[in-house]
Amino acid sequence: MTAAATAGLTRPARAPSLRSVRPRDLLPCLLALALGCAGEDFEPPSRVNGPRLLAVVATPPVVAPGDDVRLVPFAAGPDGAADVTVAFEVDLSPRALATAAGQESLFDEGDPIALEPDGDGAVLDGADTEAAIERVLALVGDAGPGTDEHVVRLVYETVGLVLRVRVTMRDAEGEVLVEGFKRVLLMPEPEAADNPPPPRVRVGETWLSARGAGDPFRCAPEAAGAPEVAAGAEVTFAPEPDEGWLETYPALDLDGRLVEGTENAYYSWFATGGDFTLDVTRAPDREVTWTAPDAAGTVPFWLVVRDGHLGTSACRAEVSVVAP
């Protein structure tokens, strides 16, 4: 998966992974150095020039065995929508679940299963996750402290096991555009199990919202008319400042001790034109400044909200750029 495509799928969670830096996060810098083009101009990650998979929303993002998870892709294109298909598959073998607890050497490798399409997304069947947990716990048994098997049980019962759902996006001809992973947390008694609410965002003085609408991915103006910005002018994009939906959750610190983690809101901004001063914002500086293109027209934009604990919401809207 390219660095530009990871924006919707790989924001770090705080449990149970203890890694803060991943090799693929460094890929753009390494490529720039290797090619000797560090001084060249690159399109910012916020620019949508072609089909992009900005996020996958899992509902719920934290789930108990036996409960279904619905996965819906959030894709974008230069005209707003993207003519793409997205497929999902997941490895529920004991080896994969043990690997999620950091015990890569336990058990035999398994084969991933494809998730059946369901409307605009797919569903991870709760019966499959329940059977998978029963298999791994039977293999773990009553292993005592200090054993790899005990670690698997401990991680599952305290902070949960991360399921890595492979995501593949293809264009209309079937060519693979993006491959990556969406993570879902599996634990016996889920905590902090909600996604952020559908976004609400202000563009200048105009509020747009996906709350209470038929389409949770569509931010419609709360009053009549789309927001207007003069060509070449600057305007402030600001998400709803109320973050009372943030939750706490169990996590492991670097010494393996159980602690209480707290979610943080991250706002990722995308558009087909113009320039954002920042690609991602968070409190206390949630707002971002956007400079409109010089030409008049309708510019689609997207907002993806993440809570730092696998929860995601997102919406699409438009800004009308008018002649000054």
Side-chain angles (χ1 to χ4, degrees):
M1 189 173 190
T2 65
T6 62
L9 304 177
T10 56
R11 292 290 172 195
R14 285 167 169 69
S17 174
L18 303 181
R19 295 171 293 176
S20 59
V21 177
R22 294 156 299 165
R24 68 167 173 260
D25 295 330
L26 303 177
L27 182 57
C29 298
L30 294 176
L31 286 176
L33 292 174
L35 297 174
C37 54
E40 297 292 334
D41 292 331
F42 294 96
E43 292 286 0
S46 58
R47 182 67 55 80
V48 174
N49 285 331
R52 294 274 301 275
L53 185 58
L54 303 184
V56 173
V57 178
T59 306
V62 184
V63 65
D67 293 337
D68 293 347
V69 179
R70 179 165 171 76
L71 298 148
V72 179
F74 183 64
D79 297 322
D83 184 14
V84 297
T85 59
V86 180
F88 302 90
E89 61 181 22
V90 62
D91 186 351
L92 294 174
S93 67
R95 175 66 172 268
L97 293 174
T99 298
Q103 306 305 313
E104 294 86 352
S105 60
L106 281 181
F107 314 129
D108 296 326
E109 293 186 4
D111 295 321
I113 59 172
L115 305 187
E116 289 295 327
D118 182 75
D120 56 353
V123 172
L124 174 57
D125 196 320
D128 291 335
T129 58
E130 187 171 36
I133 284 295
E134 289 176 353
R135 287 194 299 270
V136 77
L137 292 182
L139 292 170
V140 166
D142 297 324
T147 63
D148 293 344
E149 291 83 358
H150 175 76
V151 170
V152 174
R153 180 184 291 275
L154 177 66
V155 171
Y156 168 63
E157 294 179 348
T158 55
V159 300
L161 297 172
V162 172
L163 300 180
R164 285 160 47 94
V165 181
R166 178 179 287 277
V167 184
T168 304
M169 185 173 83
R170 293 179 170 85
D171 63 16
E173 286 72 42
E175 181 181 351
V176 174
L177 300 175
V178 171
E179 289 184 308
F181 292 92
K182 169 63 180 178
R183 294 176 294 173
V184 175
L185 192 61
L186 185 66
M187 63 189 309
E189 297 181 4
E191 299 183 39
D194 295 322
N195 283 310
R200 182 170 183 259
V201 57
R202 176 174 55 81
V203 179
E205 300 301 321
T206 303
W207 280 99
L208 305 99
S209 177
R211 301 175 188 179
D215 182 356
F217 287 159
R218 175 69 174 170
C219 271
E222 294 183 345
E228 290 188 355
V229 182
E234 294 184 348
V235 65
T236 298
F237 284 53
E240 165 63 57
D242 181 6
E243 295 179 347
W245 46 267
L246 293 172
E247 302 171 303
T248 60
Y249 58 92
L252 296 175
D253 66 13
L254 293 176
D255 296 318
R257 295 172 298 194
L258 188 63
V259 297
E260 184 178 74
T262 302
E263 293 177 346
N264 290 288
Y266 300 89
Y267 304 93
S268 297
W269 305 94
F270 305 89
T272 59
D275 293 295
F276 289 106
T277 51
L278 294 169
D279 301 314
V280 181
T281 57
R282 57 166 294 182
D285 300 317
R286 303 176 186 86
E287 299 181 355
V288 65
T289 299
W290 181 69
T291 303
D294 293 331
T298 299
V299 179
F301 77 91
W302 297 262
L303 170 61
V304 178
V305 185
R306 295 184 176 84
D307 61 18
H309 187 233
L310 306 183
T312 307
S313 67
C315 77
R316 170 184 175 269
E318 292 87 25
V319 176
S320 179
V321 178
V322 297

